[in-house]
Amino acid sequence: MITKQKLYNYIFGTILAAFFVVLIFVANNLSISYDEALNVMVNKSVLSYITKTTTTFLGSNDISIRLPFITLYVLSVILMYLLTENYFSKEIDRLINVLIFMFLPGVVSASLLINSSIVVIFCTLVYLYYYKLYSKHNYYLLIFFLFVDNSFAILFLALFFYSLSKKENSLLIISLVLFGLSMYIYGFDAAGKPRSYLLDTFGIYASIFSPLIFLYFFYSLYRVGIKGPHSIYWYISITALIFSLIFSFRQKVYIEDFAPYVVIALPIMLKLFMHSLRVRLPEFRKLHYNIAKLTLFLLFINTILIIYSKPIYLLVKNPEKHFAYDYHFAKEIAEILKNNNINNVKIYDKKLQKRLEFYGINKGEDYLVSLYNPITYDNVFTISYFEKELLHIYVYKIKQ
């Protein structure tokens, strides 16, 4: 006889495996962006070492550079599922929580793009899982995190506040020292003219969570802050959220430094919602059910738009206004040029030049390539999505 727990485990595993396949398909349909090209071919960072390792074994293609981050996403989802064992009163809540985490737009985006967000999420969950298993802090992991990414300063600061409340002296000293070292090594960017980006920051968080989830998530952190209990998850999430909002009063914050820690407290939100639902008599739960249905529907729509965004080009007049424009077209342009034996090109758009280098189109003086109509050109090629012409590629042969 299959128990409920085994059934939910099977459902979770099946959905995760299916979504892994979907992400691989999506990754193959994305083009490398300029920032990603720098990380793969120029920069020396953790991201560079990760992508260079996979391209060495799998070749320079879109799947090879994104596969490590998709893998970290899968492992992070599994860790979230393991972390919430015995956390909820009902096993179905645990499944709902991990599915929401799995399909959060910000988490899905982090799995597909070459940035540190999914690395930070995974590392933080590893640390928390160790803490759950052994009820003690792994200081070696914290020291390792110091050299992984600058954003771990937020984790060190959160652990400092947590250690103050729990009176854990060892953690207090180590977290404070690591925070100081992080500030010394990476510094703190406070340049630029003071200007409030608070609304922009709220908007980004709303897009990461989906709007209704973020509103209730924000309320949940506040509610737990007032009434408790204050778990380590709450300290990590509230520290990242508060400091990101404080900094946004003065400057535009790099949200990727904060968001990975904010999503950690998702189980707190769901547990509060489920408790609020179940303390009511069945006839008074209709409002909660309707809110939940609308929230999950919007979450589903947001996630679908991330993994299948190309149809949006049909709705925008200027392709550059599409939110994923920087991750499209480069591969198609490279394929068109290669098919026409155009391998050495000069492009005034340096960002596009670097992107095309990843696909084997080298910098040279044989052809001049432009996406904007020049005075003279020999050939013009067109890229269309759904029979809508989006880009024209103008080619002029320099060496006649």
Side-chain angles (χ1 to χ4, degrees):
M1 182 178 178
I2 300 178
T3 63
K4 280 188 177 182
Q5 183 173 353
K6 289 184 178 180
L7 176 62
Y8 293 142
N9 290 344
Y10 176 78
I11 294 173
F12 164 66
T14 302
I15 294 175
L16 181 59
F19 198 58
F20 172 78
V21 175
V22 171
L23 291 177
I24 294 294
F25 175 80
V26 175
N28 193 45
N29 285 276
L30 291 175
S31 292
I32 193 170
S33 71
Y34 174 68
D35 290 338
E36 290 178 327
L38 292 180
N39 277 322
V40 174
M41 297 184 289
V42 179
N43 297 340
K44 292 182 179 179
S45 65
V46 171
L47 301 179
S48 304
Y49 295 131
I50 291 174
T51 53
K52 286 176 181 176
T53 299
T54 54
T55 54
T56 298
F57 292 101
L58 302 176
S60 296
N61 57 75
D62 291 298
I63 292 180
S64 68
I65 59 174
R66 304 188 192 282
L67 182 60
F69 304 97
I70 295 175
T71 303
L72 288 177
Y73 163 84
V74 171
L75 295 175
S76 297
V77 171
I78 293 172
L79 281 171
M80 175 60 78
Y81 193 63
L82 294 174
L83 275 169
T84 51
E85 185 178 9
N86 302 322
Y87 180 77
F88 296 101
S89 59
K90 293 182 179 293
E91 196 66 23
I92 185 64
D93 297 355
R94 182 186 178 202
L95 178 62
I96 294 172
N97 173 77
V98 77
L99 291 179
I100 293 176
F101 176 78
M102 185 189 305
F103 294 118
L104 282 180
V107 177
V108 174
S109 298
S111 73
L112 292 168
L113 308 181
I114 303 174
N115 64 47
S116 61
S117 295
I118 197 63
V119 177
V120 172
I121 290 174
F122 171 73
C123 290
T124 306
L125 290 175
V126 167
Y127 179 81
L128 291 173
Y129 187 58
Y130 181 92
Y131 182 72
K132 173 183 171 65
L133 288 179
Y134 302 105
S135 299
K136 62 180 181 179
H137 301 278
N138 190 321
Y139 300 125
Y140 297 106
L141 272 178
L142 293 180
I143 295 171
F144 171 72
F145 293 165
L146 175 65
F147 302 100
V148 173
D149 191 75
N150 67 300
S151 67
F152 279 106
I154 303 299
L155 176 63
F156 302 147
L157 190 60
L159 292 177
F160 171 74
F161 292 133
Y162 175 76
S163 62
L164 277 177
S165 67
K166 302 298 181 181
K167 298 181 181 179
E168 297 186 16
N169 294 330
S170 297
L171 179 62
L172 186 149
I173 295 171
I174 291 175
S175 60
L176 184 59
V177 170
L178 290 175
F179 175 75
L181 287 173
S182 182
M183 291 294 99
Y184 175 77
I185 295 172
Y186 302 106
F188 175 73
D189 184 12
K193 185 178 179 180
R195 177 184 171 188
S196 177
Y197 287 90
L198 183 62
L199 292 179
D200 293 344
T201 303
F202 268 106
I204 295 173
Y205 276 126
S207 65
I208 289 172
F209 283 86
S210 89
L212 290 181
I213 289 182
F214 178 64
L215 286 175
Y216 195 79
F217 180 85
F218 190 83
Y219 164 76
S220 300
L221 292 183
Y222 168 76
R223 177 75 179 272
V224 172
I226 297 299
K227 296 189 174 182
H230 300 158
S231 66
I232 189 172
Y233 305 91
W234 182 85
Y235 271 99
I236 292 173
S237 185
I238 198 67
T239 300
L241 182 61
I242 288 177
F243 276 91
S244 66
L245 295 179
I246 291 174
F247 291 150
S248 67
F249 276 109
R250 185 198 182 278
Q251 65 191 71
K252 188 174 183 178
V253 299
Y254 190 59
I255 205 69
E256 287 84 353
D257 286 345
F258 299 91
Y261 304 108
V262 177
V263 300
I264 295 300
L266 186 66
I268 294 176
M269 178 201 74
L270 188 67
K271 188 171 186 177
L272 182 63
F273 179 82
M274 290 302 186
H275 174 76
S276 177
L277 172 68
R278 289 174 180 141
V279 295
R280 288 169 168 79
L281 294 172
E283 57 267 27
F284 298 113
R285 297 177 182 177
K286 186 176 181 180
L287 178 61
H288 280 68
Y289 283 130
N290 289 337
I291 292 175
K293 290 176 183 177
L294 178 60
T295 301
L296 295 177
F297 174 75
L298 292 177
L299 176 64
F300 174 78
I301 294 298
N302 287 342
T303 304
I304 288 296
L305 290 178
I306 289 173
I307 64 178
Y308 192 56
S309 62
K310 289 184 177 180
I312 298 177
Y313 282 108
L314 298 174
L315 305 177
V316 296
K317 186 176 181 180
N318 182 357
E320 295 183 16
K321 299 297 182 181
H322 191 293
F323 71 89
Y325 175 80
D326 292 340
Y327 301 93
H328 292 152
F329 301 115
K331 180 163 62 176
E332 291 95 326
I333 295 173
E335 289 174 352
I336 289 172
L337 296 178
K338 284 182 177 180
N339 292 337
N340 289 273
N341 296 316
I342 302 172
N343 299 301
N344 297 283
V345 302
K346 179 179 181 180
I347 306 176
Y348 292 117
D349 185 343
K350 301 305 179 184
K351 292 185 177 181
L352 179 59
Q353 180 90 63
K354 181 58 68 175
R355 296 174 70 194
L356 293 181
E357 283 182 28
F358 176 76
Y359 297 106
I361 302 298
N362 300 315
K363 185 177 182 180
E365 298 292 335
D366 292 347
Y367 295 89
L368 178 65
V369 174
S370 175
L371 300 184
Y372 304 98
N373 193 349
I375 297 176
T376 304
Y377 58 88
D378 297 316
N379 292 295
V380 58
F381 306 100
T382 302
I383 296 178
S384 301
Y385 289 164
F386 308 101
E387 299 183 356
K388 180 181 178 179
E389 295 184 357
L390 298 174
L391 284 185
H392 298 291
I393 308 161
Y394 300 93
V395 179
Y396 173 73
K397 189 172 184 180
I398 300 174
K399 294 183 177 181
Q400 299 295 336

